[in-house]
Amino acid sequence: MALRYVARRVAIPALRRASGPCVSSSAGSGPLASHSSQGSRGFASEVAKPTGKQIKVPEALYGGTGNYASALFLAAAKANVLVNVESEIKTVVEASKKSPMFSQFIKDLSVPKETRVKAITEIFTEAGFSDVTKNFLAVLAVNGRLKYIERIAERFVDLTMAHKGEVTVVVRTVLPLPEKEEKELKETLQDILGKNKTILVEQKIDYSIMGGLVIEFGQKVFDMSIKTRAKQMELFLRQPIEF
């Protein structure tokens, strides 16, 4: 329901941008203003001050999107709303995919900062989003980084999965794996990754590999496809024969 609301409601503030000043008093003071002026580092430093137990990201991410995702994780973990924030960020991404107007709005840097912040704050307040998510989206709006929300969301989900000990394994085959083979694969991966990990197998049909399978998780790829074996055999056969 939140997705339908966001996709429907987002057009209204965007269309108001030519109608004069639109900065409310709440947008210029308090935590939102503080977050907006400091960017992702300020957002992370303010929300990540430990109260008792030190909060850390489960794995290091790099680059601009990695910094934003890490800042959001720290904020959500401190506020104990990781599950809510993950759901809300996914809703924003889905809304951008389903609403061309919303997608255009978050990518249009010609919209003044004040308009972007006001629109984002109004929309997601009425949608019932958590303060962590609203403030984070406001930071992205001010810094002109809303257009990277999909990649930031992907990296944030990587962090939440690592936090829960979950590992997504993508298996590409030309035919779906039988239940028995999938179970054996999970057991093998469990031995490799550790018993404390939850293995989530995502099967994808890929006729281009011609047969066999390709397994991907994290930064690792195990290519056991017929296509790759055929290429290896071709290279071998092309080598000069030495007598």
Side-chain angles (χ1 to χ4, degrees):
M1 183 173 181
L3 173 58
R4 292 197 300 271
Y5 174 83
V6 170
R8 184 181 70 252
R9 179 71 173 81
V10 73
I12 299 173
L15 295 175
R16 293 176 181 164
R17 63 179 182 266
S19 61
C22 56
V23 184
S24 65
S25 59
S26 61
S29 60
L32 178 59
S34 174
H35 295 332
S36 300
S37 64
Q38 296 176 40
S40 64
R41 291 185 180 180
F43 182 80
S45 63
E46 181 170 338
V47 298
K49 292 176 182 177
T51 54
K53 187 178 180 181
Q54 180 73 38
I55 299 174
K56 296 181 179 180
V57 291
E59 59 184 42
L61 298 181
Y62 301 98
T65 58
N67 291 338
Y68 279 109
S70 298
L72 180 58
F73 178 88
L74 291 172
K78 181 187 176 186
N80 196 28
V81 289
L82 273 173
V83 174
N84 290 354
V85 171
E86 181 177 353
S87 175
E88 291 164 355
I89 288 296
K90 287 180 178 178
T91 294
V92 176
V93 172
E94 287 303 308
S96 70
K97 291 179 178 179
K98 293 187 176 183
S99 170
M101 187 169 290
F102 185 28
S103 178
Q104 178 61 31
F105 174 74
I106 65 177
K107 294 175 182 177
D108 188 358
L109 296 182
S110 68
V111 178
K113 287 183 182 181
E114 294 83 0
T115 304
R116 290 200 300 265
V117 173
K118 181 176 174 61
I120 289 298
T121 303
E122 287 182 353
I123 293 164
F124 295 109
T125 294
E126 293 186 34
F129 277 25
S130 64
D131 288 341
V132 170
T133 302
K134 288 187 296 183
N135 287 348
F136 180 73
L137 292 172
V139 170
L140 296 185
V142 167
N143 295 335
R145 295 294 183 268
L146 277 173
K147 60 183 178 179
Y148 300 118
I149 186 62
E150 184 172 353
R151 180 56 179 155
I152 292 171
E154 289 174 354
R155 305 195 78 180
F156 175 74
V157 171
D158 287 342
L159 291 176
T160 60
M161 289 185 64
H163 175 70
K164 293 180 286 188
E166 296 177 346
V167 179
T168 296
V169 178
V170 177
V171 181
R172 290 191 285 138
T173 58
V174 294
L175 293 172
L177 282 177
E179 186 176 341
K180 182 180 178 181
E181 291 185 18
E182 182 179 348
K183 181 180 178 182
E184 291 175 351
L185 176 61
K186 279 187 176 181
E187 291 173 351
T188 301
L189 291 168
Q190 200 79 65
D191 292 336
I192 295 172
L193 298 172
K195 299 297 182 182
N196 61 328
K197 300 293 184 182
T198 301
I199 309 298
L200 305 176
V201 175
E202 179 182 343
Q203 292 195 46
K204 291 186 177 181
I205 301 301
D206 184 353
Y207 297 113
S208 71
I209 68 173
M210 299 168 63
L213 72 164
V214 178
I215 301 172
E216 305 172 39
F217 59 90
Q219 302 298 317
K220 298 181 180 179
V221 178
F222 295 91
D223 191 338
M224 295 168 280
S225 66
I226 290 179
K227 179 179 180 179
T228 296
R229 292 180 183 179
K231 285 184 177 180
Q232 292 171 342
M233 179 62 71
E234 180 183 0
L235 290 173
F236 174 76
L237 293 175
R238 288 180 179 276
Q239 291 178 358
I241 300 176
E242 296 181 3
F243 295 97

